[in-house]
């Protein structure tokens, strides 16, 4: 399943004051604030590099620093980003606890948009936990009516994408397609390119589920071009595998299918995505048998 992970990066706290050249420079921030900002800068770098163990450690340090400063908004953001770093490492239990802590702070502060991002993180986490079906259904039941009043197209797109993934998992194809289509509209409105690439990839998977190989190929090629522009290696690998599978399903252009699958396998090896590599390898083996007939 293709998910969008939204990292709410923390901007610098020391804002430069606008004014004439003769204006006095702003005073230096207190040392504790400067230290916290340095920790955040390092955490952002690790997140951008997808060095998730180091990112989780630095975001935890940032959350502690902001707790000491009683800066609750930035503490909540650091907790959210620590949770995402844990989730990227397939650590759903600690991620769930961290999202809950961030959500509690944001609810207390009345930060609705941030609270919604925490809820989406909780949905993503619960999807990785065992025996969480009832919990997920309860959360969707609680959030669904409130989602209709969302003013942020970005947050609405993230929520609808999660709904689509849930309905696809339960073979509710038409409902899932409606969710993904609405999500794509919201991401387009928000100009959120990684979200657009991801939801198009999810539509491609849904097309594969419903034996629409031609549609799947078109969507995978669209997703591939978007991931290439965004320089997203995992998205590129998934899309290459998707193009290969779609061509194989149509029994056409098998050399291209084999090439796409081969490149996807090599990329999955580099990215240490063993489950995806094995799936692509099975498709490649099938493609070679088909070509040998």
């Amino acid at each position: 399943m293709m998910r969008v992970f939204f990292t709410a990066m923390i901007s610098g706290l020391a804002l430069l004051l606008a004014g004439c050249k003769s204006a006095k420079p702003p005073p230096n921030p207190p040392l504790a604030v400067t230290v916290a900002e340095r920790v955040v800068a390092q955490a952002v770098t690790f997140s951008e590099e997808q060095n998730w163990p180091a990112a989780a450690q630095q975001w935890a340090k940032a959350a502690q620093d902001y707790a000491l400063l009683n800066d609750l908004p930035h503490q909540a953001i650091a907790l959210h980003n620590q949770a995402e770093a844990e989730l990227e490492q397939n650590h759903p239990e600690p991620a769930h606890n961290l999202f809950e802590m961030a959500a509690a702070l944001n609810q207390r502060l009345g930060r609705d948009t941030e609270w919604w991002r925490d809820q989406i993180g909780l949905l993503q986490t619960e999807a990785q936990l065992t025996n969480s079906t009832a919990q997920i259904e309860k959360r969707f039941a609680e959030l669904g009516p409130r989602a209709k009043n969302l003013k942020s197209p970005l947050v609405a797109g993230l929520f609808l994408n999660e709904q689509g993934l849930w309905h696809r998992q339960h073979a509710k194809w038409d409902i899932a397609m409606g969710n993904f289509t609405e999500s794509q509209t919201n991401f387009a409105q928000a100009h959120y390119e990684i979200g657009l690439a991801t939801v198009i990839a999810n539509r491609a998977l849904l097309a594969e589920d419903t034996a629409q190989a031609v549609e799947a190929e078109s969507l995978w090629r669209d997703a591939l071009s978007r991931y290439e522009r965004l320089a997203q290696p995992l998205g590129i690998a998934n899309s290459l595998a998707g193009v290969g599978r779609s061509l194989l399903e149509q029994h056409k252009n098998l050399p291209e299918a084999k090439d796409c699958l081969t490149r996807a396998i090599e990329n999955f090896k580099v990215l240490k995505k063993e489950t995806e590599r094995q799936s692509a390898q099975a498709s490649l083996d099938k493609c070679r048998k088909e070509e040998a007939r």
Side-chain angles (χ1 to χ4, degrees):
M1 292 186 290
M2 308 287 287
R3 285 193 149 82
V4 188
F5 293 99
F6 183 89
T7 304
M9 299 303 184
I10 303 176
S11 60
L13 299 177
L15 301 178
L16 295 177
L17 300 178
C20 62
K21 292 182 179 179
S22 60
K24 292 182 180 180
N28 291 329
L31 179 59
V33 173
T34 300
V35 170
E37 289 179 347
R38 288 173 181 166
V39 172
V40 166
Q42 189 65 67
V44 169
T45 298
F46 286 141
S47 292
E48 290 176 341
E49 293 174 350
Q50 298 186 9
N51 183 349
W52 301 118
Q57 185 176 21
Q58 286 298 105
W59 283 120
K61 180 65 169 64
Q64 292 174 355
D65 288 347
Y66 284 119
L68 291 171
L69 295 169
N70 201 32
D71 186 340
L72 301 187
H74 284 94
Q75 182 187 358
I77 293 174
L79 288 168
H80 178 102
N81 288 349
Q82 183 188 355
E84 289 195 346
E86 294 290 356
L87 194 55
E88 288 283 1
Q89 299 175 77
N90 296 316
H91 301 158
E93 290 85 1
H96 195 274
N97 292 335
L98 290 161
F99 280 130
E100 289 278 23
M101 292 167 63
L105 283 175
N106 283 318
Q107 185 173 42
R108 173 182 169 187
L109 296 166
R111 290 160 58 90
D112 190 61
T113 297
E114 289 75 11
W115 179 86
W116 266 101
R117 290 170 181 161
D118 298 328
Q119 297 306 307
I120 292 162
L122 286 165
L123 285 169
Q124 293 174 340
T125 304
E126 287 160 3
Q128 293 190 16
L129 291 168
T130 57
N131 301 320
S132 61
T133 298
Q135 191 173 3
I136 296 173
E137 288 179 344
K138 180 182 177 183
R139 194 176 299 279
F140 273 125
E142 292 173 349
L143 295 176
R146 299 179 63 174
K148 297 176 183 177
N149 298 319
L150 278 170
K151 294 180 173 60
S152 166
L154 171 56
V155 176
L158 291 167
F159 178 72
L160 287 162
N161 184 63
E162 289 304 314
Q163 272 196 320
L165 291 172
W166 179 250
H167 288 133
R168 175 179 171 249
Q169 183 180 339
H170 291 82
K172 297 180 180 178
W173 313 126
D174 291 341
I175 299 175
M177 179 56 72
N179 292 149
F180 289 143
T181 301
E182 284 188 67
S183 176
Q184 185 172 340
T185 299
N186 278 277
F187 284 146
Q189 186 178 346
H191 305 289
Y192 189 47
E193 295 301 324
I194 187 65
L196 281 169
T198 301
V199 78
I200 288 168
N202 284 329
R203 287 179 57 204
L205 288 168
L206 187 58
E208 289 189 62
D209 292 335
T210 53
Q212 300 178 68
V214 175
E215 176 72 3
E217 180 193 348
S218 175
L219 289 166
W220 278 123
R221 291 187 188 279
D222 187 1
L224 177 60
S225 66
R226 292 172 185 273
Y227 281 126
E228 287 172 347
R229 290 197 298 271
L230 294 165
Q232 292 287 324
L234 182 55
I236 291 168
N238 280 320
S239 299
L240 284 169
V243 171
R245 288 194 307 270
S246 301
L247 290 171
L248 176 60
E249 190 65 24
Q250 297 173 73
H251 308 284
K252 78 169 192 180
N253 205 346
L254 294 181
E256 183 186 4
K258 189 167 63 174
D259 177 66
C260 288
L261 289 165
T262 300
R263 285 188 284 139
I265 289 165
E266 293 304 314
N267 290 352
F268 286 138
K269 285 180 184 177
V270 174
L271 296 169
K272 296 182 172 58
K273 295 293 182 179
E274 182 59 19
T275 300
E276 291 85 346
R277 186 201 67 78
Q278 290 179 5
S279 176
Q281 184 64 58
S283 295
L284 179 61
D285 293 343
K286 185 178 177 181
C287 187
R288 285 171 173 161
K289 290 179 181 178
E290 184 77 15
E291 196 175 36
R293 288 181 182 177

